[in-house]
Amino acid sequence: MALHIVFVEPEIPPNTGNIARTCAATDSVLHLVQPLGFNIDDKSVKRAGLDYWPYVKLEVHDCLEDFMEEYAGRTMYLATTKGGRCYADVEFHDEDMILFGRETKGLPRDFIEAHKENAIRIPMSESTRLRSFNLSNSANIILFEALRQLGFPGLK
C-alpha cells in the first residue's frame, strides 16, 4: 500500500528534501518530474532530507508527458489554487497520486484544464487566494488527509 507524491519541476531544494523525509516516514512514493531547479545531489536537498534519503522510494521522470504515459489509468489529483474541490472532500484510495507544480508557477494551466475534474485545493483566505502555501507544507497537508482516510496504514 502506498500513496504517491509527485513534484512536477520543483525549483527549491529544501521543499523536495522536506517532502522526501515525509515520504520516507510514511512509506509513500516520491516522484520528481524534470526539469528540476537543482541537482538532486545538491547539498541543500540532502540537508533538508537529513539521513532519510536511503529510505525514500524515489522515481525520477524525464518530463510530465513521460510520467503521464507511464501511469496512465491511475487516479491522479492535481493540487492547485485553481482546484474546484477541497482536498478534504476527496475520497482517497491506495495508490492514488497527488501532483504538485513548481513553486513559482504551479502546474501548467492547460494540464489543469485537461484534468479539472481532479483538481483539488487547500482552502485559504480570499485575501491570499492568488498565492499559495509552501509546496512541501501543501504536500504534507494533503498526504496526511489521505493517510488519515486510509487509517494510517503501516504507521503507528
Side-chain angles (χ1 to χ4, degrees):
M1 170 167 254
L3 292 166
H4 297 254
I5 296 295
V6 183
F7 275 11
V8 178
E9 301 180 11
E11 301 165 310
I12 301 173
N15 284 328
T16 299
N18 288 339
I19 201 60
R21 185 175 176 177
T22 297
C23 287
T26 61
D27 288 327
S28 300
V29 180
L30 175 60
H31 299 260
L32 300 178
V33 178
Q34 298 187 72
L36 308 180
F38 49 85
N39 182 314
I40 197 138
D41 295 326
D42 188 310
K43 183 170 56 173
S44 56
V45 174
K46 295 290 186 188
R47 186 181 316 117
L50 297 173
D51 55 352
Y52 286 78
W53 279 103
Y55 308 104
V56 178
K57 298 171 190 167
L58 176 65
E59 293 186 28
V60 179
H61 306 273
D62 289 335
C63 63
L64 184 55
E65 293 77 19
D66 287 356
F67 168 80
M68 293 300 291
E69 184 177 315
E70 183 174 344
Y71 287 97
R74 296 284 289 277
T75 300
M76 296 186 194
Y77 293 101
L78 285 56
T80 171
T81 58
K82 295 151 191 64
R85 286 191 290 170
C86 174
Y87 75 97
D89 294 335
V90 171
E91 185 177 332
F92 291 98
H93 298 94
D94 183 27
E95 298 297 331
D96 281 354
M97 306 186 106
I98 308 164
L99 284 68
F100 298 84
R102 54 186 161 160
E103 290 89 341
T104 57
K105 295 185 179 181
L107 292 165
R109 287 185 185 268
D110 59 336
F111 183 73
I112 295 169
E113 185 60 32
H115 304 279
K116 64 183 172 187
E117 69 281 356
N118 284 344
I120 59 175
R121 64 180 166 69
I122 299 171
M124 294 185 295
S125 164
E126 284 295 320
S127 63
T128 60
R129 190 73 171 111
L130 297 178
R131 302 290 304 189
S132 62
F133 292 112
N134 169 277
L135 180 62
S136 59
N137 289 343
S138 296
N140 274 302
I141 289 168
I142 298 174
L143 174 61
F144 270 86
E145 170 59 17
L147 289 167
R148 184 196 66 78
Q149 287 183 19
L150 297 172
F152 296 107
L155 307 179
K156 60 178 183 169

